[in-house]
Amino acid sequence: MKKLSLFIISILMIGLLAACGTATEEGNETSGSEGESKKVLKMATSADYPPFEYIDTAKGSDIIGFDIDLVNSLAEKTGYEVEVQDMDFNSLIPALQAKQIDLVLAGMTPTPERAENVDFTDIYYTANHMIVSLKDNEVKSVEELDGKTVGVQLGSIQEEKAAEIAEQVSLKVENRNKISELIQELKSGRIDAAIIEDTVAAGYFEKDDQLAGFTLESSEEAGSAIAFQKGSEYTEEFNTALNEMKENGELDELIIKWFGGKE
Ligand code: ARG
């Protein structure tokens, strides 16, 4: 009797394990309409960065923006399917290093320090640093930052920019996880200014007429590139597709769609 029930339990366990096996194998692929399956790449972004990536709460909970359109076009060309997830900007590179995700599009600038840990494609868009403040308490030059508190996004190149300015004037630097938090802190007076990229700041100016800003003169540009795991097989494929989009005008179309047409 004992032997029989042990036998039944083993059979059940084998069946269970087999079922789990098939489930995980299927997890990585999706079937297209013709039944062909595409490999799913996990992309992460920090959806606090309109028009690059954001959630338009009025329209739903999907992440939309320039980077999302771009990755979808690139995936189409390279034959992959892309699944997008949201995380703090500061967690993106560690997630690539831990191989939890395959790629990052987050308006991310390919700095030499980052390039030690991840691989980048060519640059697909360039922007400049901007000092954003409130019209009522406007900061019009770097000198005027003296004695002030400036906010930056944690882990961004704007954090380095602030450290650089702090060598010229006396500056207190505060960091926050999200750009929207920087704007809130500015409005509540906890910080006097924030360093944000011009294209992103432009979106906030449109919605909020209390904000003012100026572009940092002769500041080095903040370009965006796609990041992959170090040694990734996908970098080359995506770079080729990206350059194809640069040459055939598709990239310009996306730039006009998301950054153009703003007065
Ligand atoms: N370009 C800057 C950087 O790489 C800022 C990017 C911030 N991106 C975001 N999705 N919040 O540091």
Side-chain angles (χ1 to χ4, degrees), residues 4-213:
L4 184 66
S5 49
L6 259 178
F7 177 72
I8 294 174
I9 290 174
S10 334
I11 296 283
L12 282 176
M13 297 239 319
I14 290 168
L16 205 73
L17 284 174
C20 289
T22 14
T24 36
E25 264 158 41
E26 275 169 7
N28 261 342
E29 308 208 328
T30 54
S31 302
S33 46
E34 290 97 42
E36 93 280 23
S37 56
K38 286 185 176 177
K39 186 163 187 192
V40 179
L41 300 184
K42 287 191 187 146
M43 168 193 149
T45 191
S46 167
D48 65 335
Y49 217 51
F52 286 89
E53 45 264 333
Y54 61 106
I55 297 166
D56 189 346
T57 40
K59 292 197 185 125
S61 57
D62 287 350
I63 303 175
I64 57 167
F66 173 64
D67 280 341
I68 312 300
D69 278 4
L70 177 60
V71 82
N72 284 332
S73 301
L74 291 171
E76 176 103 342
K77 289 185 199 307
T78 46
Y80 296 103
E81 190 99 359
V82 171
E83 215 175 75
V84 183
Q85 56 180 288
D86 192 16
M87 53 177 80
D88 283 343
F89 187 75
N90 197 38
S91 308
L92 294 170
I93 292 199
L96 273 178
Q97 287 180 280
K99 302 199 186 311
Q100 288 156 355
I101 51 167
D102 300 297
L103 71 163
V104 167
L105 274 85
M108 184 179 276
T109 307
T111 65
E113 303 83 67
R114 288 173 180 164
E116 280 174 20
N117 300 315
V118 299
D119 285 346
F120 283 106
T121 59
D122 293 339
I123 285 176
Y124 56 80
Y125 187 76
T126 42
N128 292 293
H129 298 295
M130 195 167 214
I131 305 282
V132 179
S133 58
L134 290 182
K135 275 186 185 156
D136 285 350
N137 184 18
E138 196 174 340
V139 177
K140 293 200 182 100
S141 65
V142 170
E143 293 69 44
E144 282 181 27
L145 278 173
D146 194 46
K148 301 238 156 82
T149 303
V150 77
V152 286
Q153 183 166 39
L154 184 66
S156 69
I157 56 164
Q158 284 70 36
E159 199 174 17
E160 291 164 27
K161 192 74 207 167
E164 203 183 300
I165 297 175
E167 286 169 13
Q168 302 163 39
V169 299
S170 148
L171 190 68
K172 189 163 173 259
V173 182
E174 290 265 334
N175 53 42
R176 293 291 180 275
N177 276 320
K178 298 196 187 309
I179 301 287
S180 53
E181 293 172 58
L182 293 177
I183 302 290
Q184 268 169 26
E185 297 292 60
L186 196 58
K187 300 194 73 157
S188 62
R190 268 188 292 271
I191 57 174
D192 303 296
I195 312 181
I196 303 178
E197 271 164 45
D198 52 1
T199 38
V200 173
Y204 284 97
F205 292 156
E206 256 183 29
K207 283 186 287 180
D208 192 329
D209 59 7
Q210 283 179 276
L211 300 173

